[in-house]
Amino acid sequence: MATRTSQDTSKRHFHWTKKVGTEENEARSFKSSSKPDEEETNGRRITLKTHVVSLPTPRKKKLPAAATVSIARLRSVVSDFRKSRSGLPLGLGSRVIGTLFGYRRGHVRFALQKEPNSPPAFLVELATPISGLVREMASGLVRIALECDKRKEEARNKAKGSTSSSSSSSSSTVRLLEETVWRTYCNGKKCGFATRRECGANEWKILKAVEPISMGAGVLPATEAEDGEVMYMRAKFERIVGSRDSEAFYMMNPDSNGAPELSVYLLRV
């Protein structure tokens, strides 16, 4: 009986030892297998952080040739628009000095100046007598329209043998204030033609005489060398540019309740 009991005990001890050894081996194998997983997990984190930090910067996509040309044209149009707005024709701004003058028995001359002492940027002689204009202004508001024709420049280009496309582009290069011949209308009635004039010594002398006057009308006394008294009207005008073919000048009179007594329109039709 003792021998049998000892055998049973040894068997039980053997089984317990084997079981403990098996658990230790499994624990070791679990640790050894879990260590790579942990390292792999850490590796994934490091890889993720490295991936976030080292993201490649996005490359700029090259635009197609057509889009590049369109952008270049748009820039040129914007540049031309800025030049046309900032550098107004012949250096005139939004406020100019306008002077209507002429000998009592002569025709009306209309001059536009940037400053009171600057040379006129625009000077034309109308076919209307100065006395007739005075009567029109005494009766109420006066609207003077000066019209010129685009086809004059095109006819010149056609005579030179250029194409219609080049003629239209050349016509656009002529500034409105540089046109030489105008059809004249006063309050809707045709009044002959107006011609552009250069500022000679006589015209410059009259403009210098009225230079201190900011707004007003009167008569300059005649001298021996002149043809009689000079009637004038001088005021500030507001300049509105509609396009390259249209401009308007409104006389600024604070006593007219906001309605200009005199308006001058330049049109190229």
Side-chain angles (χ1 to χ4, degrees):
M1 289 291 293
T3 305
R4 186 175 182 181
T5 303
S6 61
Q7 289 179 357
D8 293 338
T9 303
S10 62
K11 288 182 180 179
R12 291 176 184 175
H13 177 72
F14 173 77
H15 287 296
W16 180 83
T17 304
K18 185 177 180 181
K19 185 177 182 181
V20 171
T22 304
E23 290 178 355
E24 288 180 355
N25 292 334
E26 288 178 358
R28 289 177 183 176
S29 63
F30 174 76
K31 289 182 180 180
S32 61
S33 62
S34 62
K35 188 174 182 180
D37 292 339
E38 184 177 355
E39 291 179 355
E40 185 177 358
T41 304
N42 294 335
R44 287 177 184 174
R45 290 177 183 174
I46 294 172
T47 305
L48 180 60
K49 292 180 180 179
T50 306
H51 180 69
V52 172
V53 173
S54 61
L55 272 175
T57 56
R59 296 181 180 179
K60 294 183 178 179
K61 295 181 179 181
K62 293 184 178 180
L63 296 175
T68 306
V69 173
S70 300
I71 293 174
R73 289 179 179 176
L74 179 61
R75 288 177 178 174
S76 64
V77 170
V78 172
S79 177
D80 294 341
F81 177 75
R82 287 178 178 175
K83 290 179 181 179
S84 64
R85 296 297 296 175
S86 60
L88 293 173
L90 301 179
L92 291 179
S94 60
R95 303 289 176 86
V96 298
I97 306 296
T99 306
L100 289 160
F101 63 95
Y103 293 104
R104 189 179 291 274
R105 298 181 180 178
H107 295 160
V108 179
R109 297 178 188 180
F110 180 56
L112 292 174
Q113 298 170 274
K114 181 179 181 180
E115 301 292 341
N117 57 352
S118 61
F122 181 72
L123 177 60
V124 293
E125 181 176 0
L126 284 68
T128 306
I130 188 71
S131 57
L133 180 62
V134 172
R135 287 193 300 268
E136 288 285 345
M137 295 196 67
S139 62
L141 303 179
V142 177
R143 305 286 185 267
I144 297 176
L146 303 178
E147 291 185 355
C148 64
D149 203 336
K150 291 181 180 180
R151 291 176 295 178
K152 292 181 180 180
E153 189 66 24
E154 294 177 1
R156 294 176 190 172
N157 294 327
K158 288 180 180 180
K160 294 179 182 179
S162 59
T163 61
S164 59
S165 60
S166 62
S167 66
S168 60
S169 60
S170 175
S171 177
S172 62
T173 60
V174 179
R175 299 182 187 274
L176 185 62
L177 298 181
E178 293 177 346
E179 294 288 351
T180 56
V181 181
W182 305 81
R183 294 184 296 273
T184 308
Y185 299 88
C186 183
N187 288 340
K189 297 181 294 185
K190 190 172 183 179
C191 302
F193 291 88
T195 55
R196 190 173 185 271
R197 293 177 59 94
E198 297 295 333
C199 184
N202 194 18
E203 288 83 4
W204 185 244
K205 181 180 178 180
I206 296 173
L207 292 176
K208 292 297 288 184
V210 299
E211 179 180 328
I213 302 171
S214 60
M215 177 177 292
V219 178
L220 298 177
T223 61
E224 296 180 358
E226 294 177 348
D227 298 333
E229 297 176 336
V230 176
M231 303 178 68
Y232 71 89
M233 187 189 70
R234 186 174 174 88
K236 291 183 178 180
F237 285 76
E238 182 181 3
R239 178 169 178 255
I240 305 297
V241 180
S243 66
R244 68 180 65 180
D245 298 324
S246 63
E247 295 188 22
F249 299 87
Y250 301 98
M251 189 175 72
M252 302 169 62
N253 188 356
D255 299 331
S256 60
N257 297 324
E261 296 180 359
L262 174 64
S263 302
V264 180
Y265 304 92
L266 304 182
L267 303 172
R268 181 159 49 191
V269 295

